[in-house]
Amino acid sequence: MFGLETDVFILLFISLFAACAFEFVNGFHDTANAVATVIYTNSLKPTAAVVWSGICNFTGVLLGGIGVAMGIVNLLPVELLVDQNVYHSVAMVLALLLSAIIWNLGTWYFGLPSSSSHTLIGSILGVGLAFSTMPDNKAGSAVNWEKAIETGEALLLSPLLGFSLAIVLMFVLRRSVPEDVKGQLFKEPKKNSLPPSWIRGVLIATCSLVSFFHGSNDGQKGVGLIMLILIGIVPFHFAVQPDLDPRLMQPNITGIEQTIATLDSNQLAPINRDRLARTRIELAELKAMVNAPLVDNKIPKEERLNVRRDLLLINSNMNKIAEDEGANLSASQLAVMKKSLSEENGLRRFTDYAPLWVILMIALSLGLGTMIGWRRIVVTVGEKIGKQHLTYAQGASAELVAASMIGLASALKLPVSTTHVLSSGIAGSMVASKGVKNLQAGTIRNIALAWVLTLPVSMLLAFTLYLLFRWIL
């Protein structure tokens, strides 16, 4: 398959299985947060809740696009993603997958709502840093720090916003709803008794939204993992979108050349002069490929890895040049450049893609994982964050805030943690009811500890495993 030697094909199979295992673990680790409220308010039986949540997760992955997935892929430096040695790529994917799975399973075992997003991103950063120590890393690149900082800000701010917005929403509900409705909304559920039908409908709807947006955000991280594996191990097939006619690049190349023609390199910072010179070389290579005779109107397999490198470097360098004050690009010139680089009709449509079978495989893994192993995290979210039983208003507020924030993050192509957003929303709703004293200090301390440790531990695990696998392979 893919023309691989037997040992490489076995490593590819193991890597794909590990990626599906990560997403499976993500399903029962993270999605348990979404079903905790409907279970603890008696809105749905546990079995019905997790099955329905699994279906919503599956749908979210299918319809969520690939913006977050490509953000995950682009955390790593171009040099690591276009490494010609397939065994180096295997070391990369096995290190980041195993470190993420080890931490996820450990926190799940102890019932801690730790973030799969933090775990995966920490693992990617660990691999990037380990790669920077390799003697074959001529460029000295470690991580795409610009993308890493953007991702880190999203992961840091999302739980703080979740906590704050839940408090605000609870305050608004208390002040705006009629007294007879308030009496129903803010009371604790009776054991084995269904809530009023309209409250039940609201809670099921918010659970569905959290599950759907979890799939559209966290599911994309699995898609990004699979693409990292495929690009690294079988680049001749997956480094660029194989079905697009490369001649479609011509208008994009022309648009970038028009932008470059307006630049005075003497006005640019020295580093951006170098970037401009390299961009001209990369554009010339693309033009030569586009204008050469093409078999079946496709990019030749042996050139796909180099084409991917050129496309990624052109995108990165042009965006950095445009930020230089000396570039002095007008709004119309910037618009032409952005359009020429975009993932819709620009050069990035050749690199920012995922085959349908990859999306389906991740959707199935996440959906099945949701239906298994949910109980440990559900108990923590439903019983151990606050001292009081979860009320209808608290459950609906936390989930509405979580769904809104995760949906917005997906639209902005930023990864966020469902676990942190929802558990912080639950904590905020508890504080809104009876103040900080309504939180269980031990649980909050453990969640915070897992939150603080996740990045450094997963980075250290991935760093160590990458060095070990590079030594073995």
Side-chain angles (χ1 to χ4, degrees), residues 64 75 99 132 168 298 321 407 467:
L75 278 172
S99 58
S132 69
V168 171
K298 293 183 178 181
I321 290 169
L467 296 181

Side-chain angles (χ1 to χ4, degrees), residues 213 399-409:
F213 286 124
E399 291 210 317
L400 187 58
V401 166
S404 301
M405 290 191 60
I406 298 166
L408 178 62

